[in-house]
């Protein structure tokens, strides 16, 4: 189940990550005839999907606490901070995607790196 949860974290993380970029680069995708979510479903639908996937992502990250005995308070605290920042940026994208989409995109890369880094650190602390 641990491998499945780790897979699901990456799988569910991917849409908010790429759709944040797609919001900002929609005109480029349009010119290249690449059917990304904002082009096909519109900005509002894309933002709603980013919100749903992001909430689901944050919930899934806590599943590891119950399946990996090595995971402890350090992971819990760090993941809570990372999730809070992620959801805050998602909220800001919902309010003004033009100003915040690339911030979410950039943070999502750091988010995944730190999340998996903390998982690795828990095995050595």
């Amino acid at each position: 189940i641990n491998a499945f949860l780790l897979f699901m974290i990456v799988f569910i993380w991917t849409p908010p990550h790429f759709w944040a970029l797609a919001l900002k680069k929609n005109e480029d995708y349009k010119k290249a005839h690449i059917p990304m979510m904002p082009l096909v479903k519109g900005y509002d639908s894309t933002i709603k999907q980013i919100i749903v996937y992001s909430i689901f992502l944050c919930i899934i990250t806590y599943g590891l606490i119950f399946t990996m005995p090595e995971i402890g308070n350090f992971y819990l605290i760090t993941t809570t901070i990372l999730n809070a920042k992620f959801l805050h940026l998602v909220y800001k994208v919902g309010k003004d995607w033009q100003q915040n989409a690339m911030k979410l995109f950039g943070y999502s890369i750091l988010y995944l790196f730190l999340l998996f880094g903390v998982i690795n650190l828990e095995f050595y602390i």
Side-chain angles (χ1 to χ4, degrees), residues 77-102:
I77 293 166
T78 305
T79 300
T80 300
I81 293 167
L82 290 171
N83 285 340
K85 175 69 174 175
F86 198 94
L87 291 175
H88 177 70
L89 285 170
V90 167
Y91 172 79
K92 289 175 79 172
V93 166
K95 291 292 184 189
D96 184 1
W97 67 265
Q98 291 176 327
Q99 291 294 318
N100 297 295
M102 290 306 290

Side-chain angles (χ1 to χ4, degrees), residues 101-121:
M102 290 306 290
K103 291 175 186 174
L104 176 60
F105 174 76
Y107 178 73
S108 68
I109 297 168
L110 180 64
Y111 171 89
L112 196 64
F113 173 77
L114 292 174
L115 186 72
F116 278 84
V118 169
I119 293 168
N120 281 311
L121 282 175

Side-chain angles (χ1 to χ4, degrees), residues 46-63:
T46 302
I47 291 167
K48 287 176 187 172
Q49 291 297 316
I50 288 173
I51 293 167
V52 169
Y53 274 83
S54 298
I55 291 168
F56 193 45
L57 169 65
C58 292
I59 291 168
I60 290 173
T61 60
Y62 292 109

Side-chain angles (χ1 to χ4, degrees), residues 15-25 50 93 101-102 104-105:
H17 169 73
F18 281 109
W19 289 337
L21 178 64
L23 285 170
K24 191 67 174 177
K25 300 295 183 180
I50 288 173
V93 166
M102 290 306 290
L104 176 60
F105 174 76

Side-chain angles (χ1 to χ4, degrees), residues 3-18:
F4 177 73
L5 285 173
L6 293 171
F7 165 78
M8 286 304 295
I9 288 170
V10 175
F11 185 78
I12 299 298
W13 165 87
T14 302
H17 169 73
F18 281 109

